[in-house]
């Protein structure tokens, strides 16, 4: 069964990506498998039309679990004395990039906690990788001064992922000690100004998040024209202040993915590792609801489980890069073609 007005509402959002707040809340707020099926099919259709029916691969390397921040949701936060900390050497990072390249993947995502690594060290790694391979480099190392972002861009970085986490100032403040959404937004603006292909996003389900806030954040992400948008469920980590909070709802996460697809149309949208780390792997469900990116983990085998932003992270025991078969299976199950290309922004010409 669908609710009265559902079909019209879905049609409005599909036709006009500048969707009304109340339409988004209406579509988020349903309990009906029939409505979900229609929403997810509409999102998959928009994905196929604007991006092609393909699933692109990005090789993920988590190069440091040190972090100076105290984000209440994250297992790497510096107050977690039980977290195992590691930092890859520049040589190890370059070697990881080689493994990504050897697997035929043309993008590497270098992610870390806010570990205070000198800008010059990372710039050297970027130049070395760029001199060896014609691959796109994506950074995801949090908030840094403009000069650092500029230095890394000059060294050859192409893209940057920085989830806004939420645009709601009160929710933002409740999840982050002493930090403001203004700073987060200023960093995102700087990244776009510097010409980075910029990714953002948020978790679904941290305490205090409402459907209204989700709808507002969906609208924000569409208006800013981000090139990539990551959405995953919040998963409580036992060594954080949110240890006893509830896990983000799977269906609500998938609806959010679908609505991001309808409103941000040609953005790259990962089926996130968090969605693969619940009671089972739901990444194929995200691909069926409009997602089109998967990020296999290429961190060295001995550090994978130490990058524990949330518990139960999938694929921490596999050998590095032993993902090709699994990737083909996901793409097949979602009816998508596997794409190993750089898959640059579909929104802007890379600079
Ligand atoms: N230090 C970098 C990378 C953070 S980890 C930065 O600040 O951008 C990448 C993302 O994982 C975060 O942006 C957050 O949205 C998500 N994340 C962190 N803890 C999580 C948890 N407990 N459950 C689900 N997602 C989480």
């Amino acid at each position: 069964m669908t609710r009265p007005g559902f079909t019209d509402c879905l049609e409005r959002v599909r036709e006009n990506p500048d969707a009304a707040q109340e339409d988004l809340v209406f579509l988020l707020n349903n309990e009906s498998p029939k409505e979900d099926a229609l929403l997810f099919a509409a999102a998959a259709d928009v994905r196929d039309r604007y991006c092609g029916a393909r699933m692109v691969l990005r090789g993920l390397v988590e190069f440091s679990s040190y972090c100076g921040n105290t984000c209440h949701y994250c297992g790497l936060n510096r107050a977690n004395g039980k977290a195992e900390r590691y930092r890859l050497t520049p040589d190890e990072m370059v070697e990881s990039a080689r493994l990504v390249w050897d697997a035929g993947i043309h993008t590497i995502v270098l992610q870390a906690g806010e570990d205070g690594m000198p800008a010059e060290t990372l710039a050297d790694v970027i130049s070395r990788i760029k001199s060896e391979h014609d691959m796109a480099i994506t950074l995801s190392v949090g908030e840094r001064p403009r000069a650092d972002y500029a230095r890394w861009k000059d060294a050859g970085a192409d893209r940057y992922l920085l989830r806004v986490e939420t645009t709601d100032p009160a929710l933002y403040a409740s999840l982050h000690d002493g930090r403001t959404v203004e700073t987060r937004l200023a960093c995102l603006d700087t990244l776009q100004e510097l010409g980075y292909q910029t990714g953002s996003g948020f978790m679904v389900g941290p305490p205090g998040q409402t459907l209204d806030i989700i709808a507002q954040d969906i609208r924000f992400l569409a208006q800013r024209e981000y090139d990539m948008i990551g959405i995953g469920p919040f998963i409580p980590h036992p060594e954080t202040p949110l240890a006893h909070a509830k896990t983000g709802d799977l269906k609500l996460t998938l609806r959010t993915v679908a609505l991001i697809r309808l409103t941000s149309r040609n953005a790259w949208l990962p089926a996130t590792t968090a969605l693969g780390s619940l009671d089972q792997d739901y990444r194929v469900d995200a691909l069926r609801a409009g997602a089109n990116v998967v990020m296999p983990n290429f961190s060295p085998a001995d550090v994978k489980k130490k990058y524990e932003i949330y518990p139960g992270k999938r694929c921490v025991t596999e050998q590095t890069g032993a993902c090709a078969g699994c990737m083909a299976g996901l793409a097949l199950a979602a009816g998508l073609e596997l794409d190993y290309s750089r898959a640059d922004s579909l929104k802007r010409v890379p600079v």
Side-chain angles (χ1 to χ4, degrees), residues 67 69 71 73-76 111-114 140-143 160-165 179 184 201-203 230 232-237 240 274 307 309-311:
C67 192
N69 269 340
C71 306
Y73 41 82
C74 185
L76 299 186
Q111 191 179 80
E114 296 207 2
S140 177
V141 299
E143 298 176 14
Y160 204 101
L161 303 177
L162 186 74
R163 288 189 178 177
V164 66
E165 313 298 356
R179 288 167 50 213
R184 199 80 175 165
F202 57 88
M203 289 175 290
F234 159 69
I235 303 175
H237 188 292
T240 63
Y307 195 81
I309 50 185
Y310 46 79

Side-chain angles (χ1 to χ4, degrees), residues 20-37:
Q21 172 83 7
E22 61 266 26
D23 281 348
L24 294 176
V25 171
F26 182 84
L27 294 174
L28 286 167
N29 188 21
N30 94 72
E31 298 293 331
S32 139
K34 176 83 193 290
E35 287 188 7
D36 276 342

Side-chain angles (χ1 to χ4, degrees), residues 89-110:
T89 64
D91 283 349
E92 287 169 329
M93 292 169 72
V94 173
E95 178 54 28
S96 297
R98 253 174 234 143
L99 292 176
V100 173
W101 180 261
D102 289 347
I105 298 176
H106 291 74
T107 314
I108 183 170
V109 180
L110 296 172

Side-chain angles (χ1 to χ4, degrees), residues 53 55 284 287-288 324-338:
M55 175 184 120
V284 70
L287 294 167
R288 289 180 180 139
C326 182
M327 293 300 114
L330 269 177
L332 186 69
L336 299 172
E337 197 158 315
L338 199 48

